Amino acid sequence: MRYFKKIGLSFFVLLMIWNPLAYSQTNEVSKGAFILISSEGEVSYLNEENQPAPSVKVGAPIPPSYSLETGFNGKLVGLLSNGTLLTLTENTRMKVATFEQAPFTDDGRKLADLPGEPSQSKVTLDLDFGSLVVKTKKLSKRSSFNINSPVGVAGIRGTEFQMASNPGQGVQLDVTESTVAFTPPGGGQAIPVSQGNGLSVSPSGVATQRPVNPVVATKIESTNAAATEATQEVSLGEVAVAVEQSAQE
């Protein structure tokens, strides 16, 4: 037994010598940052006990422990450090439950100029209720991006869409770019929802595919265009500073 343990350890050491990046590429991760871009109307910040928490300044990272809730005429635009834009419309509550991201290098470029995310990441959002409009960068093969709702999970691979979850009404998913895979409760088979299509999921988890809602599609386009315009000048350096600040929370 000791012999095999030595062989395994020796092989691991040799692997690190031969390819020093082999370990760091799969294990070197840190907390990503969720940066506040803008807010208007009724916007509340809640701590882990769902009690009111101090507000966040525009340009600062939102503490990882916070939940966000918009009220009547409320709206919040946020930027994840992997390049994803999130817009919470009115009467929405959401939390970034998990956000891990590998370190990346500030090469002087703007985040908007990158074709994909600056480094691989793992994101999980909890959408309690309301509507979330999303625009992601192209994700790396090892990245994951999921949105949990009371009636299932949406898995994203670089896309533009809206996901709305309301108590007693289930989930409405409308996709205007790429594909979202929706998994009903209980871990059943994922349902792919491609560009130009939608999915209605009842409170009991019954899913019905349909064409994208044209009114929602127009809203997704205009909402993401506004969020993109608001983040055109954000540099990788600014994002890196926000990541560092978020890690200290």
Side-chain angles (χ1 to χ4, degrees):
M1 179 64 72
R2 290 181 180 178
Y3 174 77
F4 286 108
K5 286 184 177 179
K6 289 180 180 179
I7 289 293
L9 180 60
S10 298
F11 177 78
F12 179 79
V13 172
L14 286 173
L15 176 63
M16 292 302 100
I17 294 174
W18 176 69
N19 183 8
L21 294 178
Y23 181 78
S24 62
Q25 286 178 341
T26 57
N27 291 273
E28 187 179 0
V29 295
S30 60
K31 286 187 176 181
F34 182 26
I35 306 164
L36 177 63
I37 300 301
S38 65
S39 67
E40 57 187 72
E42 296 180 15
V43 176
S44 300
Y45 301 89
L46 307 173
N47 60 23
E48 292 178 307
E49 288 75 37
N50 283 326
Q51 298 298 314
S55 60
V56 178
K57 295 182 179 180
V58 170
I62 299 170
S65 60
Y66 275 21
S67 293
L68 308 173
E69 186 169 341
T70 57
F72 178 71
N73 286 334
K75 180 180 177 181
L76 183 146
V77 179
L79 170 68
L80 297 179
S81 52
N82 69 351
T84 297
L85 293 169
L86 302 176
T87 301
L88 284 71
T89 61
E90 65 178 5
N91 300 320
T92 297
R93 184 165 68 194
M94 187 215 77
K95 179 179 181 179
V96 179
T98 302
F99 188 11
E100 299 175 354
Q101 185 175 8
F104 57 87
T105 302
D106 172 20
D107 59 7
R109 286 187 293 175
K110 296 175 182 176
L111 189 63
D113 295 334
L114 300 180
E117 60 179 346
S119 61
Q120 71 182 56
S121 61
K122 177 182 179 181
V123 179
T124 303
L125 308 181
D126 289 342
L127 178 61
D128 294 336
F129 57 80
S131 179
L132 187 63
V133 180
V134 182
K135 179 179 181 180
T136 70
K137 291 282 189 181
K138 182 178 180 181
L139 302 178
S140 67
K141 292 182 179 180
R142 293 185 176 180
S143 293
S144 65
F145 194 123
N146 296 310
I147 303 178
N148 296 327
S149 79
V151 295
V153 180
I156 294 92
R157 293 302 309 172
T159 189
E160 294 191 45
F161 67 96
Q162 175 176 287
M163 183 171 174
S165 175
N166 292 292
Q169 299 180 20
V171 162
Q172 299 294 323
L173 181 62
D174 290 272
V175 180
T176 57
E177 184 179 303
S178 194
T179 300
V180 174
F182 189 87
T183 304
Q189 185 174 0
I191 303 169
V193 184
S194 58
Q195 179 175 330
N197 291 287
L199 189 73
S200 297
V201 187
S202 71
S204 62
V206 177
T208 304
Q209 300 202 51
R210 54 171 173 76
V212 67
N213 184 320
V215 175
V216 174
T218 300
K219 177 184 177 182
I220 294 170
E221 182 179 354
S222 61
T223 299
N224 281 335
T228 300
E229 179 65 26
T231 54
Q232 281 293 319
E233 300 303 316
V234 177
S235 69
L236 273 178
E238 292 172 306
V239 173
V241 170
V243 169
E244 185 176 349
Q245 292 174 344
S246 184
Q248 295 172 358
E249 291 289 341

